[in-house]
Amino acid sequence: MKHLLLNDWHFMRFLRLALAVFLSVQAYVTHEWFFIAFAVFFLFQAIFNLGCGPSGCKIPYDKKN
């Protein structure tokens, strides 16, 4: 678990984290609490490194001859 949280931080993970923080602050400032759901979604993706990575959303394809 520690390896998952501390390693493999790339641009998209930082972007998701920044978006989660931005949406949380905006939800607090504007009192539009619906945006907290989106913030939690992006925070979950950033922490656990889920979602499409830098190589896109593709399934690994291995040819077996």
Side-chain angles (χ1 to χ4, degrees):
M1 184 66 143
K2 183 178 174 182
H3 176 76
L4 177 69
L5 295 176
L6 298 178
N7 293 340
D8 298 329
W9 281 85
H10 46 80
F11 175 72
M12 282 307 294
R13 252 180 119 169
F14 283 117
L15 183 65
R16 289 180 188 123
L17 183 63
L19 192 57
V21 170
F22 174 75
L23 287 172
S24 297
V25 169
Q26 286 300 311
Y28 179 76
V29 169
T30 62
H31 299 287
E32 296 287 338
W33 302 113
F34 179 71
F35 290 115
I36 291 292
F38 293 108
V40 168
F41 173 73
F42 285 115
L43 183 64
F44 184 77
Q45 280 190 333
I47 289 174
F48 295 109
N49 198 18
L50 298 173
C52 296
S55 62
C57 297
K58 63 181 180 180
I59 299 171
Y61 177 73
D62 294 332
K63 274 189 180 179
K64 294 184 181 182
N65 294 331

